[in-house]
Amino acid sequence: MTSRRILTRLAGAVTPDPARPWAVDFIEDAAIASEGGRIAWIGPRRELPAAWRDAPEVDGGGRWAAPGFVDPHTHLLFGGDRSREFNRRLHGETYAQIAEGGGGIRETVRATRSATVEELVALGEARLAKYRAKGVVHLEVKTGYGLELEAESRLLEAYAALRARGWSLDVTLMPAHDIPAEYLGRPDAYIEDVASAWQPELVRRHPGVARFCDVFVERGVFTPEQGRRVLESGKALGLRPRIHADEFCSTGGAELAAEVGAASADHLMFASEAGIRAMAAAGVVPTLLPATTLFLGMKDYAPARAMIQAGCRIALASDFNPGSCACIDPLLVLRLGCLQMRLTFEEAFTAMTLHAALSLDRPDLGHLHPGAQDRVLLWDVKHPLDLVYWMGEAYQPAPAFHG
């Protein structure tokens, strides 16, 4: 059976162009040639090269073709549920009050520690199926709800099992997500154990599973100096840094990301001007999480426009997690990028495809130009702008190619 095929009878194709910053092509009456799971050609159907005119055709059904979304920031695996806590917050309790009563992240940690690898895998598959149905073809996924060596190890084992089942994932090691109860009042001791003992042991036990490491640099969690210790330890183990930074106040997290050569700095609602300039100069991808701002009822969205003007190539992500963003919905993220961050459609779409992939060092995802993986989605819309314009529509894309 030939691996050559032509996707045709399309209303059009929309794709960012890796060779032209922030450029998005809208190609009407397009055709897409694929061979061996890779895009070989894209353009107007009338310009299809003669060498491809006898290739088997795949019927696009008059829909728009687009690259699949890439989600570069998720906390996919965790046990338990915090919907009741969410309602308590709606009734006026603060996050701090809930945490003082043993809730918040501690509730998730307890549930995650008690979950078996098999239970975690089942939870992950159910969530990944929802992502796939909504057009996400690749995800970054973090540990960080174990906060002890054995629980973090089970999370890595579950991620490895999910990847072995065919799910397209990049794994980030993040035991420095918060300070566990066993280390309350001793953050330096926890950071030292994570950096000197846990990260090396987890990499030894699960070789090749994690590609990245991460740390939460924020007031009340970890300082930039503590974050640097974790990230430099990870770098020595072959892990590329990522960083939760400047979510609730300016802590210098963006500057730290630039200093350590991080692939991304995430959240950044309160990134400083100096931090934004430093990220641009260092090639750090600011990964912005507007659904978290919405979920938490905050008013300050990350300064996306200032970052673009400084020369940053921003990405957008879901930040799916049980406490601050129970969201598996790329279209909501796309719409918030446009409506709240005031990005153009082209900017928001690029941030959720090409630049999201860039933050994961995946140059063959997030676009439909030659060399890209042929993870093509078909959207039943009159024009791609409908994905944002029709706010309440739950569009469901179809894969163009199977297998």
Side-chain angles (χ1 to χ4, degrees):
M1 180 177 174
T2 181
S3 66
R4 287 163 55 91
R5 48 197 177 180
I6 293 290
L7 178 60
T8 188
R9 210 169 76 79
L10 296 168
V14 56
T15 177
D17 185 347
R20 296 152 53 220
W22 293 109
V24 172
D25 296 318
F26 296 86
I27 306 169
E28 294 187 356
D29 192 21
I32 300 172
S34 168
E35 183 170 19
R38 299 278 172 173
I39 303 297
W41 181 88
I42 183 172
R45 184 168 55 91
R46 65 181 180 277
E47 297 177 10
L48 181 69
W52 283 92
R53 288 174 187 163
D54 293 331
E57 293 188 357
V58 175
D59 187 349
R63 292 168 288 186
W64 275 85
F69 293 122
V70 175
D71 194 332
H73 184 128
T74 80
H75 300 261
L76 182 74
L77 289 186
F78 56 84
D81 177 272
R82 282 159 63 185
S83 58
R84 293 180 182 177
E85 171 191 312
F86 173 74
N87 196 40
R88 288 168 63 187
R89 283 171 34 211
L90 296 178
H91 279 270
E93 288 189 67
T94 67
Y95 184 89
Q97 289 170 331
I98 292 170
E100 287 171 3
I105 192 172
R106 294 185 197 175
E107 175 63 29
T108 300
V109 169
R110 284 193 292 270
T112 304
R113 286 180 177 181
S114 67
T116 66
V117 172
E118 292 75 17
E119 288 169 337
L120 291 168
V121 170
L123 286 168
E125 288 224 288
R127 293 164 185 166
L128 287 166
K130 292 181 180 179
Y131 269 112
R132 181 171 58 191
K134 293 177 180 291
V136 177
V137 299
H138 184 81
L139 299 90
E140 183 266 6
V141 295
K142 303 178 192 293
T143 74
Y145 283 114
L147 301 188
E148 67 177 6
L149 180 61
E150 296 307 322
E152 290 288 302
S153 184
R154 287 195 296 276
L155 288 167
L156 285 177
E157 185 177 349
Y159 281 135
L162 288 167
R163 205 155 59 189
R165 295 184 182 194
W167 296 102
S168 186
L169 308 174
D170 275 316
V171 180
T172 296
L173 186 58
M174 196 183 178
H177 189 193
D178 204 343
I179 305 168
E182 299 88 343
Y183 286 82
L184 283 181
R186 299 187 298 128
D188 284 333
Y190 184 62
I191 286 296
E192 190 54 36
D193 282 351
V194 167
S196 65
W198 292 18
Q199 287 189 152
E201 176 63 12
L202 291 167
V203 169
R204 185 194 68 79
R205 290 187 190 182
H206 306 281
V209 174
R211 293 184 64 218
F212 300 96
C213 59
D214 199 343
V215 60
F216 193 3
V217 173
E218 186 57 64
R219 181 177 57 197
V221 191
F222 300 115
T223 66
E225 292 72 25
Q226 292 165 338
R228 182 180 289 104
R229 177 75 178 97
V230 169
L231 298 178
E232 292 292 357
S233 163
K235 286 176 68 176
L237 297 165
L239 304 176
R240 182 94 186 269
R242 312 180 80 80
I243 181 171
H244 283 53
D246 303 327
E247 180 177 4
F248 299 108
C249 63
S250 180
T251 60
E255 291 89 335
L256 175 60
E259 290 171 21
V260 300
S264 76
D266 302 21
H267 286 295
L268 300 172
M269 282 88 95
F270 294 96
S272 69
E273 291 183 10
I276 292 171
R277 291 194 300 270
M279 288 190 296
V284 177
V285 177
T287 299
L288 312 182
L289 313 170
T292 303
T293 305
L294 177 71
F295 194 91
L296 292 176
M298 298 173 66
K299 296 180 180 179
D300 294 294
Y301 285 81
R305 179 60 54 205
M307 293 174 184
I308 292 173
Q309 291 174 344
C312 294
R313 292 181 288 183
I314 65 168
L316 294 176
S318 71
D319 190 26
F320 170 63
N321 74 82
S324 63
C325 194
C327 173
I328 300 178
D329 189 349
L331 289 184
L332 175 60
V333 177
L334 181 72
R335 290 160 179 167
L336 289 172
C338 294
L339 298 172
Q340 296 298 324
M341 292 180 161
R342 311 311 297 173
L343 299 174
T344 67
F345 172 84
E346 291 84 354
E347 289 167 340
F349 186 73
T350 299
M352 295 190 64
T353 51
L354 181 65
H355 290 177
L358 174 69
S359 84
L360 297 171
D361 300 323
R362 297 286 183 182
D364 60 350
L365 287 171
H367 66 96
L368 300 180
H369 286 269
Q373 296 184 39
D374 63 358
R375 302 199 192 184
V376 185
L377 300 182
L378 298 174
W379 294 94
D380 191 9
V381 292
K382 293 180 179 179
H383 191 276
L385 288 172
D386 288 354
L387 299 176
V388 171
Y389 179 71
W390 293 102
M391 288 178 55
E393 287 294 325
Y395 294 109
Q396 293 285 323
F401 302 121
H402 299 270

